[in-house]
Amino acid sequence: MDEKIEIAQALISKWDVSPNSSSLYCNITNLFAADNRYEAKQYLNSIHDLQAAMQYYISHEPTSENLVLAQGLMQIAIKRLEREFYIILKSNRQHLDPESVSRASRSSVSEFEDESEDEEESRAGEDSISEVERVSMSAMEDLKAISECMISAGYGKECIKIYKNIRKSIVDEALYHLNVDSRLSFAQIQKMDWEVLEVKIKTWLNAVKVAVKTLFYGERILCDQVFSSSPAMRESCFADITGEGALSLFVFPENVAKCKKAPERMFRTLDLYEAIADLWPEIESIFDLESTSTVKQQAINSLIKLGEAVRAILTEFESAISKDHSKAAVPGGGIHPLTRYVMNYITFLTDYSGILADILADWPLPVLSSLPEAYFGSPFSDDGTINSAISTRLAWLILVMLCKLDGGAEIYKDAALSYLFLANNLQYVVNKVQKSNLKFLHGDEWIEKHEARVRQYVSNYERMGWSKVFATLPDINDNQMTTQQVTECFNSFNSSFEEAYNKQASWVVSDSKLRDQIKLSVARKLVPAYREFYEKYRQVVVRKEGIVRFAPDDLDNYFSDLLFGTGGSSTHLSSSSSLSSISSSPSHSRGGRSH
């Protein structure tokens, strides 16, 4: 034992940093520098030897002067290790950043372990490690060796005090640079304009991924590595270093969730929910310690409050649809702004189908029992999983909007235009469903049902808008018509066609496919019937100028120009229109469109 103390005294005195030390060398050189790797290992071994000697003398020779000497040397050695521990943490800050630590941990190689027999293979493996990783690994191993030595010698508190002070400042500074404002209270957030708060949310969404996947993850790895010999100290360090910052980070979404439940806040609320849900496996793994359970609970609380906020916002959104007070008729029976807003909103919601299914799973609609299930589509997705929660909720919102539009159609004094308005808006809804994820939520049955309703609206439009024109054409098999009757038929057709055309010149069908279908349907019913009448009786009144004002082909040209919503003078028909003026250019089309 005397020999061990003597050897330890020589080495410890060499690196003595106490004020009474005469050694200048030790104050300007780091014991754990690259050039001193072997001596650093010997230094740690000498402390273990001192500890063994002290235990021996306490048991066998408690009054020995060597025990006093060993205790004094231990104090000097611990002071040196504290200094080295501090220097390594401070000087290797860049190499001990969370990202470098996480990379280095995956290829950890102990610098203090003896080289393997196959030295070439070992060195070849190290060559693939970057210089940053190599420095990080070396620093972590040095810190680990020092902590183990200090803890073993009974100086663990001194060790973790240094570690906590330095690492907590690093974590707090990193969160600051991520723009995580830990000082924001709920009262402050509640008073913010939405535009300002939305910027804060975007910042948080970027910060939380870095904080969890890199900052907290890397810090957990570093704590686990450095204090691997003491689970209690490892847990204490990690909790004290990250707990405050993590709680501040995860309380922000809960505070946002408790603010105003306006429809425009839906998607940022869902973004917050999705961010936590996606990161939950990492959060649960990183903060799995008893002392960090409050962090996990805060993340869970935020998820719960965000889910409640989403349901409240959906309720508010439905209420806003029901209370829409827009009284002005949409020109030409086009797409109502409410239709565009609601369908765009619902379409965006489908981007969050996964998390919405979770949020809405236990939130049934109370009125479903009184409505046919077929209206809402199949409660099963293509893979057989139940998706009724989200599909039913979104189908219900569409139904609420369509009911509102039914009331809006009553604004139009012309029945044909009201049906055109309904056809336009329902076709827009169907198109939005077909071209988005709503198609997979609602299913083909839902689409087919609503397409059938569009066709019914179109049929009603044709009947109300063109029935008077159809009624002017006589039965072609009636061979007893007099010249006067033929004249009256032509005059009636001219006036009723002009009236229908002029009235509908400003009407619009936004969907090009539907527009062509409507015009083709009307033309197929009207033009052939008129052609037969025209061919059979035109000669009867040929000498009466202005009686026959439309050739059958001209009707096609006029139809081709309808339902674009132009409504200009170029499309207006009047009693001055004549067969000769139109027939001079058979391919003429009103408004510049060729047939």
Side-chain angles (χ1 to χ4, degrees):
M1 289 298 167
D2 294 348
E3 184 180 354
K4 285 185 177 182
I5 293 176
E6 185 178 343
I7 294 172
Q9 183 178 19
L11 188 57
I12 291 171
S13 298
K14 175 180 178 182
W15 294 94
D16 184 6
V17 293
S18 61
N20 298 325
S21 173
S22 59
S23 174
L24 297 175
Y25 169 78
C26 66
N27 286 318
I28 60 174
T29 306
N30 296 331
L31 173 58
F32 284 79
D35 295 341
N36 299 314
R37 306 302 298 165
Y38 177 78
E39 193 157 345
K41 187 174 182 179
Q42 294 300 112
Y43 193 92
L44 295 176
N45 288 337
S46 70
I47 294 177
H48 291 304
D49 291 341
L50 270 182
Q51 189 176 7
M54 289 168 64
Q55 290 172 348
Y56 171 82
Y57 285 118
I58 290 172
S59 300
H60 297 87
E61 299 180 44
T63 59
S64 173
E65 292 183 0
N66 281 339
L67 176 58
V68 177
L69 176 60
Q71 289 173 333
L73 290 173
M74 180 65 77
Q75 293 289 333
I76 295 172
I78 292 301
K79 287 293 183 184
R80 181 74 214 192
L81 288 185
E82 287 179 4
R83 180 179 185 275
E84 292 294 326
F85 197 74
Y86 177 87
I87 290 173
I88 294 170
L89 284 171
K90 293 290 285 187
S91 63
N92 289 282
R93 178 169 176 168
Q94 181 179 355
H95 300 104
L96 291 175
D97 70 284
E99 188 173 353
S100 298
V101 167
S102 59
R103 284 204 313 266
S105 67
R106 289 190 289 268
S107 52
S108 180
V109 178
S110 176
E111 292 277 348
F112 284 90
E113 293 178 357
D114 293 333
E115 291 187 354
S116 64
E117 294 181 2
D118 193 349
E119 294 183 14
E120 292 184 3
E121 181 179 343
S122 176
R123 289 170 181 168
E126 291 186 10
D127 288 342
S128 64
I129 303 171
S130 70
E131 181 61 27
V132 172
E133 291 173 359
R134 184 176 286 108
V135 175
S136 298
M137 289 158 49
S138 178
M140 282 192 287
E141 289 298 337
D142 289 345
L143 292 171
K144 176 182 177 181
I146 294 173
S147 73
E148 288 179 348
C149 186
M150 290 183 70
I151 292 169
S152 175
Y155 294 88
K157 290 183 178 180
E158 289 80 355
C159 182
I160 62 173
K161 181 180 179 181
I162 297 170
Y163 187 90
K164 286 179 181 179
N165 287 338
I166 295 177
R167 295 308 301 181
K168 189 176 187 307
S169 67
I170 291 173
V171 169
D172 291 344
E173 184 179 336
L175 289 172
Y176 174 79
H177 286 302
L178 288 172
N179 293 315
V180 175
D181 193 345
S182 60
R183 298 166 298 176
L184 275 179
S185 66
F186 168 67
Q188 290 173 310
I189 292 174
Q190 192 176 32
K191 292 177 182 178
M192 285 182 183
D193 291 336
W194 171 240
E195 293 75 13
V196 176
L197 181 54
E198 189 173 22
V199 172
K200 294 283 186 183
I201 292 172
K202 290 179 181 178
T203 300
W204 186 91
L205 291 170
N206 292 327
V208 71
K209 293 178 182 178
V210 178
V212 172
K213 289 181 173 290
T214 301
L215 182 61
F216 298 144
Y217 175 67
E219 202 60 43
R220 176 63 190 270
I221 289 174
L222 189 60
C223 276
D224 287 351
Q225 291 272 350
V226 175
F227 297 101
S228 60
S229 64
S230 175
M233 290 184 179
R234 182 172 70 226
E235 180 173 341
S236 172
C237 280
F238 181 72
D240 288 352
I241 290 168
T242 63
E244 183 181 351
L247 282 173
S248 297
L249 183 71
F250 289 120
V251 79
F252 175 79
E254 180 180 355
N255 287 335
V256 172
K258 292 189 291 187
C259 292
K260 183 181 178 182
K261 310 300 188 294
E264 69 270 14
R265 301 190 175 197
M266 169 66 81
F267 301 104
R268 288 304 175 194
T269 304
L270 287 169
D271 286 338
L272 291 170
Y273 187 102
E274 186 175 44
I276 298 176
D278 287 347
L279 290 169
W280 178 247
E282 287 92 342
I283 295 170
E284 191 174 31
S285 173
I286 295 169
F287 298 98
D288 63 342
L289 306 169
E290 183 179 352
S291 58
T292 57
S293 60
T294 53
V295 174
K296 283 200 302 183
Q297 189 57 51
Q298 180 57 61
I300 292 172
N301 290 345
S302 288
L303 278 178
I304 293 171
K305 293 298 182 182
L306 289 167
E308 292 173 354
V310 168
R311 291 191 286 269
I313 293 172
L314 276 177
T315 301
E316 180 63 29
F317 179 61
E318 178 184 334
S319 177
I321 297 172
S322 300
K323 294 177 182 177
D324 180 69
H325 298 302
S326 52
K327 297 293 184 181
V330 178
I335 311 300
H336 198 284
L338 181 66
T339 309
R340 295 185 189 276
Y341 171 66
V342 171
M343 289 311 299
N344 285 334
Y345 194 96
I346 292 176
T347 300
F348 289 141
L349 282 177
T350 63
D351 292 339
Y352 301 88
S353 296
I355 58 174
L356 274 175
D358 293 335
I359 293 172
L360 305 179
D362 300 322
W363 194 47
L365 287 167
V367 297
L368 286 186
S369 58
S370 62
L371 294 169
E373 181 180 315
Y375 180 85
F376 295 95
S378 171
F380 296 94
S381 61
D382 292 340
D383 61 2
T385 58
I386 296 178
N387 62 16
S388 58
I390 178 173
S391 63
T392 301
R393 177 64 58 169
L394 298 186
W396 169 254
L397 291 173
I398 293 175
L399 176 59
V400 172
M401 178 198 68
L402 292 177
C403 290
K404 194 70 179 179
L405 292 175
D406 285 342
E410 297 175 1
I411 297 175
Y412 297 97
K413 296 180 180 180
D414 192 295
L417 181 55
S418 69
Y419 283 116
L420 195 66
F421 167 79
L422 291 173
N424 264 322
N425 284 269
L426 187 53
Q427 184 63 49
Y428 181 87
V429 171
V430 170
N431 288 344
K432 276 289 186 179
V433 171
Q434 287 179 320
K435 295 176 182 178
S436 69
N437 290 329
L438 285 169
K439 178 179 181 179
F440 305 107
L441 290 173
H442 293 339
D444 293 336
E445 183 181 354
W446 189 97
I447 294 173
E448 291 168 3
K449 184 182 189 304
H450 287 78
E451 285 179 332
R453 291 182 66 191
V454 172
R455 290 192 293 271
Q456 185 60 52
Y457 288 145
V458 169
S459 177
N460 291 341
Y461 151 77
E462 290 181 8
R463 179 170 53 82
M464 304 300 291
W466 296 96
S467 57
K468 287 179 64 176
V469 181
F470 290 129
T472 62
L473 297 176
D475 184 352
I476 198 64
N477 296 319
D478 187 356
N479 297 319
Q480 305 301 320
M481 291 186 69
T482 65
T483 301
Q484 180 62 30
Q485 289 174 323
V486 172
T487 299
E488 290 176 357
C489 278
F490 270 112
N491 285 335
S492 296
F493 179 84
N494 293 339
S495 61
S496 62
F497 184 80
E498 288 171 4
E499 179 185 356
Y501 182 90
N502 290 334
K503 184 166 56 176
Q504 298 185 36
S506 60
W507 295 4
V508 62
V509 174
S510 302
D511 182 79
S512 60
K513 185 178 179 181
L514 180 62
R515 181 171 62 243
D516 291 342
Q517 288 174 349
I518 292 174
K519 292 191 291 188
L520 185 60
S521 176
V522 176
R524 281 177 174 173
K525 295 171 184 175
L526 183 62
V527 174
Y530 180 73
R531 188 184 299 280
E532 287 189 68
F533 173 68
Y534 174 87
E535 295 294 345
K536 186 172 183 178
Y537 293 108
R538 182 183 58 163
Q539 294 302 323
V540 175
V541 293
V542 69
R543 294 182 180 179
K544 295 185 177 183
E545 185 178 351
I547 298 300
V548 182
R549 292 208 296 271
F550 301 104
D553 290 343
D554 296 326
L555 297 183
D556 282 327
N557 289 333
Y558 283 111
F559 278 124
S560 70
D561 204 40
L562 277 179
L563 305 182
F564 283 99
T566 52
S569 58
S570 63
T571 61
H572 186 75
L573 280 178
S574 67
S575 58
S576 62
S577 302
S578 66
L579 178 64
S580 58
S581 64
I582 299 173
S583 299
S584 63
S585 179
S587 62
H588 175 74
S589 172
R590 300 294 180 182
R593 296 181 181 86
S594 59
H595 174 55

